């Protein structure tokens, strides 16, 4: 049987660092090649192979895939919602062309599996706010959301037309402490922990009652690996699966922190990210992922707060 050799693109980012480490535990350090445009993240150094790679350079990417005998690709390189609004052309180009480069090479080289994340950002103001279903009205208002929705259809197309086994999750806002977040609207839920510990206060860029779907990184990594390990016959969604864990507002996460750091104070100064947050659902219905590959989250807000504070300290 052919040994798996995995390429992670965007490995120095918030998800990439933790996903690369999890894949290295599973497949062996030497069999997971980390790659990124920026330098290797400190936490990855010495744990396995690293190559400098621009996903926009298709020839270079193709050479690496052949040279390293790659059998699976995880594509994480993207520009997120808040940064995307500052440079829509750049976000569209990277998020679309990067994906098309990977899908084309996957088809040509008969790559066994491709992973590409979508986001709750595909949903827009006309989607249901509560328990937003897998299939519903989808009219995103950010360039990031538009690129993710178009990307979902490219994944579906390459699967149906060319048989590429590409799988995807619509991640909610991901909360973690190992590597920095990359410019999203949900980043407040990470910054708040750092400021609570360092300054005992936080100025939030969203209003106090802005509910958003969120997930702790260990749940997101486990969801990704469970999806990728599931037998093909269990994968009924080839656009992207809704997944869900927790939903909370800035006031609720602040209260959870205050229980553990009583002197913590929060102020609210909403900026352009408020409009983005308000366009997204407050909670997500993930019953299809539960049915297809038995998805189940573990972390609630209390468990997440304990773990974040313990580890950042
Ligand atoms: P991030 O910004 O932290 O990491 C992205 C990485 O891609 C960075 O290290 C960056 O240097 C790299 N990169 C950028 N351009 C590149 C290029 N041309 N070639 C190679 N590498 C390049 O993002 P993240 O939070 O880790 O997100 C990873 C994926 O998950 C993205 O597709 C994102 O849309 C999706 N996602 C993330 C979240 C979240 O809350 N973090 C939620 C939903 C979806
Ligand atoms: C963002 O806020 O842009 C991301 C996401 C939900 O896709 N965290």
């Amino acid at each position: 049987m052919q040994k798996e050799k995995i390429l992670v693109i965007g490995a120095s980012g918030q998800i990439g660092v933790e996903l690369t480490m999890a894949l290295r535990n599973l497949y062996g350090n030497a069999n997971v090649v980390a790659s990124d445009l920026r330098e290797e993240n400190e936490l990855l150094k010495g744990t396995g192979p690293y190559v400098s790679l621009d996903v926009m350079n298709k020839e270079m990417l193709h050479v690496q895939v052949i040279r390293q005998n790659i059998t699976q690709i995880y594509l994480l390189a993207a520009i997120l919602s808040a940064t995307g609004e500052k440079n829509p052309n750049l976000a569209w180009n990277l998020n679309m062309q990067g994906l098309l480069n990977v899908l084309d090479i996957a088809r040509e080289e008969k790559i066994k599996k491709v992973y590409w994340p979508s986001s709750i950002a595909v949903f827009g103001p006309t989607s249901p706010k509560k328990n937003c279903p897998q299939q519903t009205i989808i009219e995103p208002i950010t360039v990031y959301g538009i690129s993710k929705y178009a990307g979902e259809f490219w994944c579906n197309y390459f699967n149906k037309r060319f048989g590429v086994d590409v799988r995807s999750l619509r991640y909610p806002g991901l909360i973690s402490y190992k590597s920095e977040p990359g410019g999203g609207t949900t980043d407040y839920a990470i910054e708040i922990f750092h400021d609570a510990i360092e300054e005992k206060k936080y100025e939030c860029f969203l209003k106090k009652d802005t509910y958003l779907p969120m997930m702790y990184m260990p749940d997101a990594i486990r969801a990704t690996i469970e999806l990728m390990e599931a037998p093909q016959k269990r994968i009924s969604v080839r656009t992207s699966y809704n997944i869900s864990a927790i939903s909370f507002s800035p006031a609720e996460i602040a209260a959870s922190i205050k229980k553990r750091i009583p002197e913590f104070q929060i102020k609210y100064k909403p900026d352009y990210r408020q409009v983005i947050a308000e366009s997204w659902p407050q909670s997500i219905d993930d019953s299809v992922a539960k049915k297809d590959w038995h998805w189940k989250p573990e972390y609630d807000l209390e468990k997440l707060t304990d773990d974040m504070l313990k580890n950042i300290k």
Side-chain angles (χ1 to χ4, degrees):
M1 207 175 76
Q2 189 190 5
K3 208 170 70 174
E4 297 300 334
K5 189 86 186 281
I6 298 175
L7 177 65
V8 182
I9 304 170
S12 290
Q14 190 200 354
I15 302 174
V17 170
E18 299 203 37
L19 189 55
T20 302
M21 293 196 289
L23 290 168
R24 282 182 175 160
N25 279 336
L26 207 60
Y27 290 96
N29 288 354
N31 298 320
V32 180
V33 182
S35 75
D36 204 292
L37 195 57
R38 58 173 147 155
E39 61 179 27
E40 186 177 17
N41 185 287
E42 283 302 317
L43 294 173
L44 292 179
K45 282 191 179 154
T47 69
Y50 176 82
V51 292
S52 176
L53 190 86
D54 181 354
V55 73
M56 298 298 274
N57 187 336
K58 194 173 173 188
E59 283 72 39
M60 228 175 79
L61 175 62
H62 205 155
V63 167
Q64 283 296 345
V65 166
I66 295 170
R67 191 182 288 162
Q68 309 261 5
N69 292 317
I70 297 300
T71 63
Q72 297 187 29
I73 302 176
Y74 285 67
L75 169 59
L76 304 173
I79 290 179
L80 278 74
S81 61
T83 312
E85 290 312 290
K86 291 185 184 148
N87 198 337
N89 283 331
L90 187 71
W92 176 257
N93 288 341
L94 173 63
N95 296 3
M96 278 297 86
Q97 200 53 53
L99 173 61
L100 286 171
N101 288 350
V102 167
L103 290 175
D104 265 343
I105 292 168
R107 172 169 67 101
E108 272 183 57
E109 299 306 327
K110 304 205 169 13
I111 295 297
K112 282 205 251 168
K113 284 184 216 170
V114 176
Y115 178 73
W116 172 82
S118 183
S119 162
I120 53 148
V122 293
F123 299 114
T126 48
S127 307
K129 283 279 165 231
K130 302 241 163 83
N131 289 323
C132 189
Q134 178 69 45
Q135 283 172 320
T136 185
I137 300 171
I138 296 191
E139 296 178 326
I141 60 159
T142 61
V143 66
Y144 175 66
I146 300 169
S147 72
K148 287 294 180 190
Y149 199 38
E152 289 188 5
F153 283 102
W154 277 118
C155 290
N156 189 54
Y157 181 81
F158 269 73
N159 175 259
K160 300 286 184 301
R161 171 103 202 258
F162 306 118
V164 177
D165 186 358
V166 48
R167 305 178 183 197
S168 177
L169 297 174
R170 288 175 181 155
Y171 290 134
L174 301 182
I175 300 168
S176 68
Y177 59 86
K178 289 191 182 155
S179 42
E180 282 187 11
T185 304
T186 57
D187 291 3
Y188 91 84
I190 300 172
E191 289 172 10
I192 194 170
F193 285 105
H194 291 274
D195 284 14
I197 289 170
E198 283 155 29
E199 324 250 344
K200 310 278 180 272
K201 61 179 187 240
Y202 178 63
E203 188 173 277
C204 185
F205 58 75
L206 296 184
K207 288 185 193 160
K208 62 193 287 186
D209 55 354
T210 313
Y211 280 84
L212 284 172
M214 301 279 191
M215 183 178 283
Y216 199 34
M217 191 62 87
D219 271 342
I221 300 296
R222 189 169 51 78
T224 309
I225 289 173
E226 284 176 8
L227 170 76
M228 292 301 279
E229 298 284 299
Q232 276 217 51
K233 62 176 190 303
R234 299 213 69 92
I235 309 297
S236 70
V237 176
R238 288 296 181 168
T239 49
S240 189
Y241 278 100
N242 276 9
I243 50 163
S244 151
I246 337 162
S247 178
F248 57 76
S249 64
E252 285 180 355
I253 193 171
S256 182
I257 292 173
K258 211 169 160 57
K259 267 199 240 167
R260 288 136 178 110
I261 306 177
E263 54 290 29
F264 176 63
Q265 296 293 331
I266 184 163
K267 277 204 280 192
Y268 301 93
K269 198 174 171 205
D271 65 16
Y272 70 100
R273 290 168 281 194
Q274 182 64 34
V275 177
I276 302 178
E278 277 175 16
S279 78
W280 293 347
Q282 298 178 344
S283 59
I284 299 287
D285 172 2
D286 59 359
S287 49
V288 182
K290 283 180 172 143
K291 179 171 112 333
D292 280 6
W293 43 277
H294 312 304
W295 161 242
K296 193 170 179 279
E298 271 176 19
Y299 283 85
D300 61 15
L301 180 57
E302 296 303 315
K303 209 170 155 189
L304 172 158
T305 307
D306 278 336
D307 208 60
M308 283 292 282
L309 291 176
K310 186 179 89 196
N311 282 292
I312 295 171
K313 268 181 190 154

